[in-house]
Amino acid sequence: MTNKFPYQAVHYSPAGFILLKSQPTGNLVCESYKSASLPTLQRECGVFFDTPAESTLVTVNFTPPLLVPKAIYQPPAAQYLRLQSEIADNDEIFQDDLGEYVALYAIPLAKTLPIKTMLPAPTFQHTATRLYHYLAQYSTEQPNKLLLHISGNKMGFILIKNDKLFIINELPFTCPEDVLYHTLNILLQQEARREESAILLSGASGDVQKCGKLLARYLKHVKMAGAELTHSVINLKSQPTELHTCLQLIEIQ
């Protein structure tokens, strides 16, 4: 990773938002906020980003994007999204690069427009896109890599088998036992053997650690995502912050 200075990024979702910025020392400062209102985001951005930056990365909620193989993809993107769900005429449509796929998703203008007025040159990317690129470069001896992203009461997941993307989706959960059940079921349905699967967890929810401990009782290779990276992240009180809480905002090369 290259820590550009100044660098700033925002994660925005119904579960709240996360702000991240770089420091001249190369360290990163990160803060999480439970309120998901745009006025609160605007107020906190004004205080948090005290060093001007030329642009801002904005990652959006994990709600699964539509994956279309590049080999058959033909613009416009809206024609594919309308086959999957209803989109409003004024929704902004985005497309991200996911290896052999194009990831398509729409964001209401009521959300993107205020962000464009409060942040310099925002670049929108899907949370799943950021986590996919992290997972793709993650080095492990296991042929299968499954990343679980905990946000609110949703568990997003990405499975890569033998360097190929197999599935990106999201499921609701009410307790860590649900996450265990979903994880075991995903591996079974996708024919990914437990002992051959590296399980990585990310997310700012307090349930991440609980889920990790439970999963480790039934699966051999369970880790917090980002643990192998050598970056220092602190909060505004100079307390250490774990990388898995803001992994989607960190630039990884």
Side-chain angles (χ1 to χ4, degrees), residues 66-77:
L66 175 63
L67 301 183
V68 180
K70 286 182 180 176
I72 64 171
Y73 176 66
Q74 293 288 337

Side-chain angles (χ1 to χ4, degrees), residues 29-106:
V29 181
C30 177
E31 279 290 328
S32 299
Y33 303 81
K34 292 184 178 179
S35 172
S37 71
L38 284 168
T40 303
L41 175 60
Q42 184 174 26
R43 183 183 69 245
E44 297 299 334
C45 282
V47 176
F48 187 85
F49 296 128
D50 50 4
T51 302
E54 293 183 357
S55 62
T56 306
L57 168 70
V58 180
T59 65
V60 294
N61 193 32
F62 196 100
T63 302
L66 175 63
L67 301 183
V68 180
K70 286 182 180 176
I72 64 171
Y73 176 66
Q74 293 288 337
Q79 66 181 337
Y80 297 92
L81 289 173
R82 288 194 174 96
L83 294 175
Q84 178 179 266
S85 60
E86 292 185 10
I87 59 174
D89 291 337
N90 63 349
D91 282 356
E92 283 203 65
I93 297 173
F94 298 88
Q95 62 181 63
D96 294 347
D97 186 341
L98 266 72
E100 297 178 359
Y101 295 91
V102 177
L104 307 177
Y105 54 101

Side-chain angles (χ1 to χ4, degrees), residues 15 36 61 89 188 229 245:
N61 193 32
D89 291 337
L188 180 63
L229 302 177
T245 63

Side-chain angles (χ1 to χ4, degrees), residues 113-129:
L113 188 58
I115 289 175
K116 288 179 179 179
T117 61
M118 75 175 75
L119 297 170
T123 299
F124 291 87
Q125 279 198 322
H126 202 287
T127 298
T129 298

Side-chain angles (χ1 to χ4, degrees), residues 134 138 140 142 144-148 179-180 183-184 187 194-202 207-228:
Y134 163 77
Y138 178 77
T140 178
Q142 285 70 50
N144 312 317
K145 298 183 286 188
L146 176 64
L147 186 142
L148 309 177
V179 173
L180 172 63
T183 301
L184 295 176
L187 295 176
R194 296 189 198 181
E195 63 274 17
E196 296 179 350
S197 301
I199 314 297
L200 301 168
L201 288 93
S202 73
D207 287 323
V208 179
Q209 296 285 355
K210 296 177 184 178
C211 293
K213 290 179 181 179
L214 181 59
L215 288 168
R217 291 167 53 185
Y218 297 89
L219 296 158
K220 291 182 62 176
H221 311 289
V222 179
K223 294 181 179 180
M224 291 296 163
E228 79 289 353

Side-chain angles (χ1 to χ4, degrees), residues 134-170:
Y134 163 77
L135 190 61
Q137 62 81 48
Y138 178 77
S139 179
T140 178
E141 295 180 356
Q142 285 70 50
N144 312 317
K145 298 183 286 188
L146 176 64
L147 186 142
L148 309 177
H149 181 71
I150 308 298
S151 179
N153 64 345
K154 298 291 182 64
M155 179 191 94
F157 57 92
I158 305 171
L159 175 64
I160 293 178
K161 289 179 60 178
N162 297 313
D163 298 324
K164 290 186 177 294
L165 175 61
F166 261 62
I167 189 171
I168 293 179
N169 211 335
E170 183 182 62

